[in-house]
Amino acid sequence: MSDEDHDFTQQSGSNSSLTFPTPAGALKKGGYICINSRPCKVIDLSVSKTGKHGHAKVSIVATDIFTGNRLEDQAPSTHNVEVPFVKTATYSVIDIQPNEDPSQPAHLSLMTDEGDSRDDLDMPPDAPLAAQIKEQFEAGKDVLVVVVSAMGTEQVLSFKNAANN
């Protein structure tokens, strides 16, 4: 029995650092929710009237923040749903190194505002976005990429040119 308890604690500990519980009735459009263990951004909410069992249902439509897939869920308004911790950071692109395997995305060298560098991120899987970043960088412009982190995944989701150009 202690083995089962240990496993449960371990799962709870790793999951608790990635998400937090929130009543379904407290969700807002533009907020975040986990659906099928995926971090999603809420795009539509509707609340049904209280039923014969005393709970209003919240119908949630959301898009996966990394893939853009549309997901739907329902929950009683008083029950907790999991909400991911989502962090957004902006980095300057220092360099783009091609991958040795041409089928894999190129690697990014990035710098924070504090001057720290990172070399652990790849170009985004979205081919048009990756092409725009590469095109702007090769044109000599200062490119800033927006990196979103949630549930153990980090990915470049957008970019912008620095204001001094």
Side-chain angles (χ1 to χ4, degrees):
M1 177 131 174
S2 65
D3 288 340
E4 290 175 328
D5 289 341
H6 178 69
D7 288 342
F8 177 75
T9 304
Q10 189 176 13
Q11 285 179 334
S12 175
S14 65
N15 191 31
S16 65
S17 65
L18 302 176
T19 64
F20 61 95
T22 297
L27 292 173
K28 305 255 186 269
K29 282 185 185 179
Y32 297 101
I33 184 173
C34 289
I35 300 178
N36 300 335
S37 300
R38 296 291 303 162
C40 299
K41 187 169 191 169
V42 177
I43 56 173
D44 191 32
L45 288 170
S46 60
V47 181
S48 67
K49 290 185 179 179
T50 304
K52 69 179 183 179
H53 297 292
H55 291 289
K57 286 233 190 228
V58 179
S59 295
I60 305 151
V61 179
T63 56
D64 187 305
I65 60 176
F66 296 119
T67 66
N69 292 341
R70 181 183 166 111
L71 298 165
E72 297 182 20
D73 198 7
Q74 278 192 338
S77 63
T78 56
H79 288 198
N80 283 344
V81 293
E82 293 298 313
V83 176
F85 287 105
V86 178
K87 190 175 105 183
T88 303
T90 303
Y91 298 97
S92 299
V93 177
I94 302 169
D95 194 16
I96 300 174
Q97 298 108 17
N99 197 318
E100 287 134 20
D101 179 355
S103 66
Q104 296 297 314
H107 300 295
L108 292 170
S109 288
L110 306 173
M111 186 177 358
T112 65
D113 289 338
E114 294 80 34
D116 299 327
S117 64
R118 295 186 61 167
D119 295 313
D120 59 341
L121 279 175
D122 290 335
M123 287 289 261
D126 178 11
L129 177 60
Q132 288 177 331
I133 292 170
K134 186 174 181 180
E135 177 185 309
Q136 294 291 312
F137 181 76
E138 288 176 348
K141 299 192 176 173
D142 290 334
V143 179
L144 302 174
V145 291
V146 178
V147 177
V148 175
S149 309
M151 299 183 69
T153 302
E154 275 190 307
Q155 187 174 307
V156 175
L157 290 187
S158 64
F159 81 97
K160 55 189 172 187
N161 289 325
N164 62 358
N165 278 344

